[in-house]
């Protein structure tokens, strides 16, 4: 989803909302059953790390659940990526049924990537008004996850459901449940989160920075005049970027400043975060605009000016895109909480930490703020929970493990460069969720059910594997010219290429009749090619370490149901612990080296062989299944209320 697509869709929806004043009425909900079922999602909680914390006596509440059932390992998805894994949970089936195979899918006719979970579509019947183009039929965004969510079956059986921030559900699937979308919800620029950083430090190297924008400013007369970039103005025929102008006034002697933006005046103290500040991006003056919100951190005034602005979140009080069901539920929740809450699918700004824009302390502070937001909403819902089903998601242990693994792991090549005070950061996230667990237990009676799941565990990320470079070097992927910076296969020679990799675990055959310039016929020749690649990858050793980057290669036909297997990768690469596909691989690049040391703060990962990163399942009821899997959770939740699963469900009741 690029800025132009998101801008046109968001603003078309805003226009449609402005021209229509029909109120949304919430229908009466069925009388709730007396039983309460609470499912907590602790993304990325690892069974081994949890076990160590329990042994130290530092997770007493999770330990209580383990006393009833030892910390059961929960079989994760193939591949163990969060969008895939949570889609397994939602549908009770594998990717062949729900159609989510990776963070990134590809258009086979053009080899171009797109986000796997949602897509935008433009408005129709455009009306030309001077320099503006106004769609008479609004565009929108559609969910690409196939099949019904298990909570739809519960609601249809009269069980009220609240589902807060489950991933792979943007835009939220239509239904009777009260839902707010989670991972996959974009920022106002249409991505997973893009910060803005204003500075006078012209010596700063921002040329290769991804996930954010660095803008250089020149203070004059004790002030800085600048503008926060917004989405493209798709109503203007030249599609310029919208802006939210602001001014910073410097205090002459003290480390404080004043931010004036769109009628708001906010005192900024060096080192302190603001709360959520609303911002508006105008497109057609006085007619079409889109609402967002940001948090601001004044990092420094002197000798250099440094101002960080978070990714522009969709404002739940006036969302530019659909983020909840009913449509006004997010606004109602923000009103009840006394203010807005983060809506970005992954609100913690990992890119800013990776690039050194945020320090470890600054990142941990703002991630704690997001944790407190989530906690307040959970207990607000629990205070009003009379019965039925409640799901609530926390991403702390996932993003915390991504960003602080090298601080915890002495074997990581970047361990010596991490701050010692960050050594136990991951365990702090675990302890936070243990405290949440203890409080939730107090809301439930002996007949109620509490289940906690994580979608996958974690592994170290020591070295990156450039799979497309490997395919090129071994003659499977041809190029017109060597260009290690070319993305999206811009230098690929499809007339001689037999295979290519895209996304974090997928490998595709350049198949005749499927890909736009496919040359490999389906049938025996394709089968021979797959076996050849499979064997060579398993035998390949990293020339720098002598280790095998790949531990298993899965065949799509062997691990996925057939319904949507036509869009799946042909091979799913299961990396060994310590390795992961490079970002270059995910975006169709071919760097010079086959493998490289991972020097990023993003130092733990789970896009590996699923055998290495099982999730967890804990419950206050006896778990009878010996090898539970993610796809079993839906059937288990339905069975709690004696609701039969749909035919597409491939799971079983583990209780």
């Amino acid at each position: 989803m690029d800025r132009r697509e998101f801008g046109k869709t968001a603003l078309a929806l805003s226009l449609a909302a402005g021209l229509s004043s029909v109120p949304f009425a919430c229908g009466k909900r069925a009388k709730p059953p007396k039983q309460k079922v609470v499912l907590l999602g602790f993304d990325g909680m690892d069974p081994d790390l949890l076990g160590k914390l329990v042994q130290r006596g530092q997770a007493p509440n999770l330990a209580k659940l383990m006393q009833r059932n030892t910390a059961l390992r929960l079989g994760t998805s193939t591949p163990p990526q969060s969008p895939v894994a949570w889609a397994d949970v939602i549908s009770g089936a594998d990717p062949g049924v729900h159609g989510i195979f990776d963070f990134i899918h590809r258009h086979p006719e053009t080899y171009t990537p797109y986000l796997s979970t949602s897509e935008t579509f433009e408005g129709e019947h455009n009306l030309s008004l001077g320099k503006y183009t106004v769609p008479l039929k609004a565009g929108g965004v559609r969910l690409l996850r196939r099949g019904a969510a298990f909570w739809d079956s519960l609601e249809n059986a009269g069980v009220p459901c609240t589902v807060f921030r489950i991933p792979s559900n943007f835009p939220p699937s239509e239904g009777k449940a009260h839902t707010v979308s989670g991972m996959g919800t974009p920022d106002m620029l249409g991505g997973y989160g893009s910060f803005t950083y204003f500075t006078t430090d012209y010596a700063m190297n921002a040329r290769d920075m991804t996930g954010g924008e660095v803008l250089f400013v020149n203070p004059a007369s004790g002030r800085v005049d600048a503008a926060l970039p917004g989405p493209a103005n798709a109503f203007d025929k030249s599609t310029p970027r919208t802006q939210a102008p602001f001014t910073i006034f410097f205090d002459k002697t003290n480390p404080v400043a004043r931010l004036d933006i769109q009628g708001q005046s906010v005192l900024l103290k060096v080192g302190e975060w603001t709360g959520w500040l609303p911002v508006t991006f105008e497109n057609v003056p006085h007619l079409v605009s889109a609402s967002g919100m940001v948090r601001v951190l004044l990092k420094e005034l002197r000798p250099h000016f440094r101002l960080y602005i978070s990714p522009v979140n969709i404002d739940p009080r006036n969302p530019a895109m659909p983020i909840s069901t009913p449509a006004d539920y997010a606004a109602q929740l923000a009103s009840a909480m006394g203010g807005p809450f983060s809506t970005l699918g992954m609100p913690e700004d990992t890119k800013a930490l990776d690039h050194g824009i945020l320090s470890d302390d600054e990142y941990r502070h703002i991630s704690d703020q997001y944790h407190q937001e989530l906690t307040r909403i959970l207990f607000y819902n629990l205070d009003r929970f009379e019965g039925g089903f409640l799901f609530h998601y926390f991403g702390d242990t996932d993003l915390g493990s991504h960003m602080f693994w090298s601080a915890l792991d002495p074997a990581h090549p970047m361990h010596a460069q991490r701050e010692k005070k960050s050594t136990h950061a991951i365990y702090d996230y675990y302890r936070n969720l243990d405290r949440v667990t203890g409080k939730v237990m107090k809301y439930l009676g002996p007949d109620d059910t509490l289940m906690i799941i994580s979608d996958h565990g974690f592994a170290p990320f020591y070295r990156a594997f450039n799979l497309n470079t490997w395919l090129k070097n071994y003659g499977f992927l041809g190029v017109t010219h060597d260009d290690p910076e070319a993305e999206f296969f811009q230098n690929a020679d499809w007339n001689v290429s037999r295979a290519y990799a895209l996304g974090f675990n997928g490998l595709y055959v350049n198949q005749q009749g499927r890909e736009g310039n496919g040359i490999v016929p389906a049938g025996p020749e394709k089968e021979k090619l797959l076996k050849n690649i499979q064997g060579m990858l398993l035998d390949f050793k990293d020339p720098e370490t002598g280790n095998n980057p790949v531990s298993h290669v899965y065949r799509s036909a062997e691990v996925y149901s057939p319904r949507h297997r036509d869009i799946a990768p042909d091979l799913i690469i299961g990396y060994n612990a310590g390795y992961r596909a490079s970002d270059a691989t995910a975006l169709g690049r071919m760097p010079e080296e086959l493998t490289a040391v991972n020097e990023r703060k993003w130092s733990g990962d789970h896009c590996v062989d699923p055998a290495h990163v099982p999730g967890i399942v804990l419950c206050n009821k006896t778990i009878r299944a010996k090898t539970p899997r993610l796809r079993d959770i839906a059937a288990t939740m339905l069975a709690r209320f004696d609701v039969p699963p749909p035919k597409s469900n491939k799971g079983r009741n583990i209780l």
Side-chain angles (χ1 to χ4, degrees):
M1 187 188 304
D2 64 25
R3 291 171 178 163
R4 186 177 182 279
E5 289 176 326
F6 184 85
K8 182 169 285 189
T9 302
L11 298 168
L13 290 173
S14 298
L15 177 62
L19 297 177
S20 174
S21 59
V22 178
F24 181 90
C26 295
K28 291 184 178 179
R29 307 192 76 182
K31 185 178 180 180
K34 292 182 179 180
Q35 181 188 187
K36 298 177 182 179
V37 175
V38 176
L39 178 64
L40 298 180
F42 292 169
D43 200 309
M45 184 170 277
D46 181 84
D48 292 331
L49 290 181
L50 176 60
K52 291 178 181 178
L53 205 61
V54 167
Q55 288 177 358
R56 298 173 188 170
Q58 296 178 0
N61 299 298
L62 294 169
K64 289 178 183 177
L65 295 178
M66 291 171 61
Q67 288 171 2
R68 184 175 189 101
N69 302 281
T70 56
L72 286 175
R73 293 171 181 260
L74 185 64
T76 186
S77 57
T78 303
Q81 299 182 25
S82 292
V84 185
W86 288 106
D88 276 20
V89 172
I90 292 169
S91 64
D94 66 82
V97 174
H98 58 67
I100 307 297
F101 297 92
D102 198 291
F103 272 101
I104 298 171
H105 286 181
R106 98 292 188 214
H107 296 289
E109 64 278 6
T110 61
Y111 307 93
T112 54
Y114 64 92
L115 297 180
S116 63
T117 53
S118 64
E119 68 175 352
T120 60
F121 55 93
E122 295 188 355
E124 299 177 6
H125 313 300
N126 293 336
L127 176 66
S128 182
L129 298 173
K131 71 172 186 174
Y132 296 109
T133 300
V134 181
L136 298 182
K137 183 178 180 181
V141 58
R142 65 172 61 94
L143 179 67
L144 295 180
R145 194 196 75 240
R146 276 77 163 181
F150 71 84
W151 56 82
D152 291 337
S153 297
L154 290 174
E155 284 277 4
N156 291 335
V159 179
C161 300
T162 298
V163 179
F164 188 75
R165 290 183 66 90
I166 197 166
S168 297
N169 195 45
F170 171 81
S173 56
E174 295 181 4
K176 302 174 185 177
H178 283 64
T179 71
V180 174
S181 60
M183 186 184 296
T185 307
D187 64 12
M188 291 291 290
L189 302 187
Y192 278 145
S194 183
F195 64 84
T196 313
Y197 186 63
F198 297 88
T199 184
T200 57
D201 185 4
Y202 280 84
M204 180 179 177
N205 181 14
R207 186 172 59 90
D208 298 324
M209 193 167 291
T210 59
E213 190 169 1
V214 176
L215 299 176
F216 297 102
V217 295
N218 291 303
S221 302
R223 61 187 281 172
V224 167
D225 292 292
L228 176 66
N233 185 353
F235 285 81
D236 189 315
K237 293 174 183 176
S238 62
T239 62
R241 289 185 71 178
T242 55
Q243 293 183 330
F246 65 86
T247 301
I248 300 284
F249 294 95
F250 291 68
D251 187 281
K252 293 181 180 180
T253 56
N254 298 307
V256 295
R258 192 183 84 214
L259 165 65
D260 286 0
I261 182 169
Q262 297 182 336
Q264 306 168 84
S265 288
V266 182
L267 181 66
L268 303 178
K269 297 181 180 180
V270 171
E272 291 187 5
W273 291 85
T274 68
W276 288 113
L277 302 178
V279 290
T280 300
F281 300 99
E282 282 205 348
N283 293 263
V284 182
H286 312 298
L287 180 60
V288 181
S289 62
S291 299
M293 59 182 193
V294 295
R295 277 184 162 130
V296 178
L297 173 66
L298 179 61
K299 289 175 61 69
E300 185 181 22
L301 275 177
R302 302 173 186 88
H304 284 293
F305 173 73
R306 304 181 195 276
L307 183 79
Y308 166 89
I309 300 182
S310 72
V312 186
N313 280 230
I314 296 170
D315 191 332
R317 297 166 296 189
N318 184 24
M321 297 286 269
I323 60 171
S324 69
T325 59
D328 61 352
Y329 176 55
Q332 291 176 5
L333 195 55
S335 176
M337 300 307 299
F341 51 86
S342 57
T343 57
L344 181 60
M346 293 187 288
E348 295 90 341
D349 195 344
T350 60
K351 288 292 186 181
L353 178 57
D354 239 350
H355 294 307
I357 300 296
L358 294 179
S359 68
D360 283 7
D361 282 348
E362 289 164 345
Y363 175 88
R364 292 183 66 185
H365 175 82
I366 196 62
S367 67
D368 285 344
Q369 296 299 306
Y370 294 133
H371 173 81
Q372 291 172 24
E373 276 185 2
L374 292 174
T375 301
R376 286 197 301 271
I377 293 171
L378 169 61
F379 291 108
Y380 170 83
N381 283 330
L382 281 171
D383 283 336
R384 289 149 186 79
F385 188 40
E386 298 177 357
F389 174 75
L390 172 65
F391 172 87
H392 196 92
Y393 171 89
F394 287 90
D396 311 35
T397 41
D398 179 75
L399 291 175
S401 298
H402 278 302
M403 303 314 296
F404 292 103
W405 190 279
S406 58
L408 176 69
D409 182 1
H412 197 283
M414 304 306 291
H415 178 73
Q417 299 184 29
R418 299 303 296 266
E419 298 177 33
K420 288 186 177 180
K421 60 184 175 181
S422 297
T423 301
H424 301 293
I426 292 176
Y427 286 130
D428 288 341
Y429 292 115
Y430 278 66
R431 282 186 281 264
N432 286 342
L433 295 183
D434 180 76
R435 285 189 284 271
V436 168
T437 301
K439 292 178 181 178
V440 172
M441 288 175 172
K442 296 177 181 178
Y443 281 81
L444 303 178
D447 295 329
D448 299 326
T449 302
L450 170 63
M451 182 174 286
I452 296 172
I453 61 171
S454 69
D455 52 333
H456 52 71
F458 255 85
F461 178 17
Y462 300 147
R463 297 183 64 80
F465 182 45
N466 291 311
L467 180 53
N468 281 311
T469 303
W470 184 91
L471 290 169
K472 182 192 74 171
N473 289 359
Y474 283 86
F476 297 108
L477 178 57
V479 295
T480 56
H481 61 284
D482 282 321
D483 183 356
E485 300 301 318
E487 291 187 337
F488 310 134
F489 303 107
Q490 292 170 337
N491 61 331
D493 185 350
W494 298 115
N495 294 317
V496 297
S497 296
R498 293 179 290 160
Y500 61 100
L502 193 69
F504 289 101
N505 294 89
L507 187 150
Y508 300 85
V509 168
N510 189 26
Q511 183 175 317
Q512 201 174 80
R514 184 182 70 180
E515 269 71 10
N517 296 289
I519 64 170
V520 179
E525 187 172 335
K526 177 183 176 181
E527 181 66 22
K528 182 179 179 180
L529 175 64
L530 290 174
K531 286 184 177 180
N532 191 18
I533 293 175
Q534 194 170 12
M536 290 177 66
L537 276 173
L538 291 172
D539 290 340
F540 174 72
K541 294 186 184 298
D542 183 344
E544 299 296 323
T545 67
N547 297 325
N548 293 87
V550 177
S551 63
H552 198 97
V553 179
Y554 299 86
R555 298 287 296 273
S556 175
E558 296 171 354
V559 295
Y560 297 143
S561 299
R563 188 178 307 175
H564 299 297
R565 207 160 58 206
D566 57 315
I567 62 174
D570 295 298
L571 297 177
I572 303 92
I573 312 304
Y575 292 98
N576 252 319
Y579 285 85
R580 198 205 72 178
S582 64
D583 288 348
T585 295
L587 297 176
R589 279 177 50 205
M590 291 165 261
E592 293 179 1
E593 65 274 9
L594 279 170
T595 62
V597 174
N598 175 28
E599 298 180 341
R600 298 167 53 194
K601 287 191 175 179
W602 184 290
S603 50
D605 215 281
H606 47 83
C607 299
V608 297
D609 187 340
H612 300 324
V613 285
I616 64 164
V617 56
L618 300 172
C619 192
N620 64 353
K621 308 295 181 186
T622 301
I623 297 174
R624 303 196 179 278
K626 292 183 179 180
T627 56
R629 297 185 60 82
L630 284 173
R631 67 189 68 163
D632 296 329
I633 302 304
T636 304
M637 295 299 102
L638 293 169
R640 291 283 87 190
F641 298 97
D642 296 321
V643 176
K647 292 182 179 179
S648 60
N649 191 293
K650 306 296 183 183
R652 55 186 172 154
N653 175 15
I654 66 173
L655 304 181

